[in-house]
Amino acid sequence: MSKRVLIVEDEPNIIESLSFLLGREGLEVHAETDGAKAMARLAEIQPELVILDVMLPNRSGFDILRDIQAADSPMPKVLMLTAKGQNRDRQMAEEIGVDLFMTKPFSNAEIVANIRVLLEK
Amino acid sequence: MRKSLAGTRIREQRRKVGMTQKALAKASDISASYLNLIEHNRRAVAGRVLLGIARALDIPAARLADGVESALMGDLHEAAAHGTEGQAEIGAIEEMIGRFPGWAHLLTTLYRKTRDQEAAIAALSDRLTHDPFLAESLHGMLSNITAIRSTANILTNIKDIDPAQQSRFHAIIHEESRRLSDAAQALTNYFDHATDQNSGTATPEEELDGFLSRNNYCFPQIDDPESAVTLADIIANDPNLKNREARVLVAETLAIYQRDALQMPLKEFAKSAAEVAYDPSNLARLFSTDLPAVFRRLSHLNRPGSPAPPMGLIVVNAAGHALVRRPLPDFALPRHGNACARWPLFQAFSRPERPIAALLELPNQQRFICLATAYPTGSAGFGESLEYQASMLLIPQQHNSIIESWLPPTGSAQQIGTTCRICPRADCQTRAEPQILALESAR
């Protein structure tokens, strides 16, 4: 059975390219563009990996990360993405507890390699 | 008490023209010993004696008389206090003005430039760090670039893409390139506008500040109950209000001003304020309103012909975002939430509706009486939480005598700054950001 990935990202074109790349890796890819709906989708899909943008409509990626940690369900791996690339965001993500933090723009090869490592752990 | 400097100037002028003290005394028809006392500022000189000396030195008496240096003296004292080295010889300021007026003027000019540049640095730092338009634009552009880079990489490196998907990727590159181009154009327009020396403004908040400043923070058209001018007229008549968001902000600000003017009509309010020595609590009772509204009205009172002292005002929400700013010439108020954490304004949030009075001292030793209060902005139902704002009214301490009759004890002066980026207090425990200029201890 293929592993499930939930992409929480408000840019549909980034979702499209990531979905294509991860689909070729044999992963089952789901996407959500609204921060406020992310937790419901997470409960529904129960993914092994969440790719989480920091700046989202309605709720920030940091808030969602806190909720994921507080939830009773098994903790998925979390890869955070930010377009800001500021140390402040990285620091906050690390304080809350994230598996990996990457900044936009990312390279396809690098993000795919990182996701492979995360899912093998 | 400040010494007369006329004697010093007489001595310098006498030496300049190469006269002996005896010769000048004789030409001025006074004794040499009396001239000696005058030259050492131990005797005041004025009237006939001053005219005689001036005539003998062939110089207008006004250039020897006292009174011309008061402003210069004040500036030099301020410059000495602002200096973080603490090595300026304060006691020698009068001597320096008398003996080296050119150097004294140069020093004060340089000091004023430094002060202005510090304010400009604070404003620019404020904008770059917190400007929502810049942050939003950069975030958007990086997202566009991410989509283009990722999609182009797929098209270049992966050969077995089905034609429909390939066509979608091409469309994505086209769409994201257009969005990137639009964002770059918007950013260029933004910077063009920001550097427009005529307006000097860029964000809606800056346009609002410029509008209020151009009107000296008061609107006689609104204060005059007979006036037929509407708020829309005031906005439409200002050609500097260029963007829609700024006009909305100005309209909201003027609506609050109008509401306050109706509740506290200018003539009655100014009269009552003077009678109760500008006591906000008393005024709130007299006009059946709350302290924040009285603070706002008081901050508009100082205008030509009014005896009211100048009063600055800042209102912030619980996140520290400035909602209202009425700066004073010597007390800059940052636009975004990076003001000094030592301001009583922020302490007020921990004790809402219990006003605070304090004496504040800036790094340049300028002192201000501060009145601060936090208050809920509405009412909450069961299970709901209240939202709070805080207001801080500032009055320069030199006007203390006007308000001291009701002012509660403020204790010793609290050492504060305006914003960390330009604050020279190297040992401040509340520092949140490094100083842009070199810190005192690093020099």
Side-chain angles (χ1 to χ4, degrees):
Chain A
M1 188 179 158
S2 57
K3 291 185 173 173
R4 292 173 300 273
V5 178
L6 174 63
I7 303 171
V8 186
E9 161 69 66
D10 61 334
E11 288 293 334
N13 292 335
I14 295 178
I15 292 176
E16 174 110 27
S17 67
L18 276 177
S19 299
F20 178 82
L21 290 168
L22 301 183
R24 285 175 64 88
E25 292 293 308
L27 300 169
E28 183 184 317
V29 185
H30 302 264
E32 177 55 61
T33 55
D34 187 341
K37 295 177 184 165
M39 287 308 291
R41 292 278 282 159
L42 200 89
E44 176 197 332
I45 296 159
Q46 299 198 350
E48 279 81 10
L49 172 73
V50 179
I51 299 175
L52 191 54
D53 191 16
V54 169
M55 291 182 75
L56 289 164
N58 301 321
R59 289 199 82 204
S60 85
F62 295 126
D63 291 336
I64 296 167
L65 180 59
R66 286 192 192 93
D67 284 354
I68 292 174
Q69 289 182 327
D72 289 334
S73 48
M75 175 79 188
K77 300 285 183 191
V78 180
L79 189 167
M80 283 203 95
L81 291 175
T82 178
K84 294 168 89 177
Q86 289 187 350
N87 287 338
R88 221 173 358 188
D89 280 356
R90 182 183 291 273
Q91 201 179 340
M92 187 178 279
E94 282 166 1
E95 276 169 16
I96 300 171
V98 71
D99 295 287
L100 194 67
F101 186 91
M102 289 184 72
T103 53
K104 296 177 186 173
F106 48 75
S107 98
N108 289 352
E110 192 184 2
I111 197 166
V112 168
N114 281 332
I115 287 169
R116 275 190 205 136
V117 171
L118 280 176
L119 289 174
E120 279 164 14
K121 273 185 185 171
Chain B
M1 188 180 153
R2 188 175 288 167
K3 280 193 303 184
S4 160
L5 287 175
T8 308
R9 283 190 293 276
I10 291 169
R11 188 172 74 236
E12 288 305 309
Q13 188 62 25
R14 175 176 62 74
R15 286 176 176 167
K16 203 168 155 185
V17 299
M19 277 179 101
T20 63
Q21 210 173 46
K22 196 175 166 185
L24 177 59
K26 190 176 177 190
S28 312
D29 201 19
I30 56 175
S31 72
S33 57
Y34 185 46
L35 178 62
N36 189 46
L37 288 170
I38 289 173
E39 284 196 355
H40 287 88
N41 299 315
R42 289 181 190 158
R43 289 289 183 279
V45 58
R48 188 188 60 78
V49 176
L50 181 67
L51 286 173
I53 293 172
R55 203 161 29 239
L57 288 171
D58 195 21
I59 188 172
R63 282 185 54 191
L64 298 174
D66 284 318
V68 288
E69 297 92 354
S70 297
L72 189 58
M73 191 96 72
D75 283 349
L76 280 174
H77 272 283
E78 195 185 321
H82 194 70
T84 47
E85 297 292 339
Q87 291 170 347
E89 294 90 347
I90 304 271
I93 286 179
E94 294 172 354
E95 183 76 9
M96 187 171 92
I97 294 173
R99 294 190 62 191
F100 307 108
W103 281 107
H105 278 288
L106 177 62
L107 192 58
T108 54
T109 304
L110 290 175
Y111 165 65
R112 282 197 205 110
K113 276 190 180 167
T114 305
R115 197 177 59 180
D116 291 349
Q117 281 166 0
E118 282 183 359
I121 288 170
L124 287 172
S125 150
D126 212 23
R127 180 184 295 174
L128 285 175
T129 315
H130 301 284
D131 188 316
F133 177 80
L134 276 181
E136 188 71 23
S137 299
L138 292 176
H139 174 261
M141 288 173 81
L142 281 168
S143 290
N144 302 146
I145 292 166
T146 303
I148 293 170
R149 180 178 171 183
S150 181
T151 311
N153 182 283
I154 291 169
L155 286 171
T156 309
N157 295 317
I158 301 174
K159 303 298 171 200
D160 56 335
I161 310 173
D162 78 73
Q165 177 72 64
Q166 204 167 39
S167 156
R168 271 209 306 281
F169 281 148
H170 280 128
I172 286 176
I173 290 180
H174 176 73
E175 180 193 341
E176 293 289 345
S177 304
R178 186 187 49 74
R179 287 170 64 190
L180 186 61
S181 164
D182 290 347
Q185 188 60 52
L187 216 49
T188 307
N189 292 341
Y190 173 88
F191 282 118
D192 278 351
H193 187 47
T195 52
D196 180 353
Q197 293 302 308
N198 293 326
S199 71
T201 58
T203 65
E205 289 83 1
E206 285 169 319
E207 283 202 29
L208 169 66
D209 285 348
F211 170 79
L212 294 173
S213 175
R214 283 192 296 280
N215 287 283
N216 292 318
Y217 297 87
C218 41
F219 298 89
Q221 316 93 307
I222 302 176
D223 287 316
D224 178 5
E226 308 293 319
S227 170
V229 177
T230 65
L231 304 189
D233 293 338
I234 298 173
I235 296 168
N237 288 337
D238 191 323
N240 293 301
L241 290 175
K242 288 175 181 157
N243 78 59
R244 195 184 61 80
E245 291 84 356
R247 288 196 292 274
V248 170
L249 276 181
V250 167
E252 289 169 359
T253 304
L254 291 181
I256 293 171
Y257 188 105
Q258 189 176 47
R259 199 177 65 208
D260 291 343
L262 283 171
Q263 187 155 29
M264 294 166 272
L266 182 64
K267 275 188 184 167
E268 291 94 313
F269 185 77
K271 184 169 173 282
S272 301
E275 283 167 3
V276 300
Y278 305 94
D279 176 0
S281 304
N282 220 330
L283 289 166
R285 274 191 294 274
L286 283 171
F287 287 88
S288 306
T289 185
D290 54 19
L291 274 183
V294 172
F295 281 7
R296 284 195 300 270
R297 204 65 177 134
L298 282 171
S299 73
H300 301 305
L301 265 193
N302 180 251
R303 50 185 87 185
S306 160
M311 294 184 229
L313 176 70
I314 183 163
V315 180
V316 298
N317 64 15
H321 185 84
L323 306 169
V324 177
R325 296 169 68 255
R326 199 286 188 227
L328 289 172
D330 293 314
F331 201 123
L333 299 172
R335 182 171 291 105
H336 303 291
N338 57 353
C340 175
R342 290 178 170 180
W343 287 4
L345 178 74
F346 301 115
Q347 292 154 24
F349 280 114
S350 66
R351 38 177 291 184
E353 299 185 89
R354 291 171 61 200
I356 299 171
L359 177 63
L360 309 179
E361 184 176 286
L362 288 172
N364 65 5
Q365 296 186 0
Q366 298 260 20
R367 289 184 168 196
F368 297 84
I369 305 293
C370 154
L371 306 169
T373 182
Y375 47 91
T377 54
S379 55
F382 294 108
E384 293 174 351
S385 53
L386 282 169
E387 293 201 359
Y388 285 85
Q389 290 179 2
S391 290
M392 180 166 83
L393 192 72
L394 295 159
I395 307 160
Q397 197 200 11
Q398 60 262 38
H399 301 285
N400 193 34
S401 60
I402 303 176
I403 58 172
E404 64 187 354
S405 58
W406 55 265
L407 190 69
T410 55
S412 55
Q414 297 177 22
Q415 308 295 304
I416 57 143
T418 52
T419 179
C420 292
R421 306 288 275 177
I422 57 162
C423 181
R425 297 193 193 284
D427 57 348
C428 177
Q429 299 298 309
T430 57
R431 178 173 288 284
E433 291 180 288
Q435 193 204 31
I436 292 175
L437 311 168
L439 281 171
E440 179 183 353
S441 57
R443 285 179 187 165

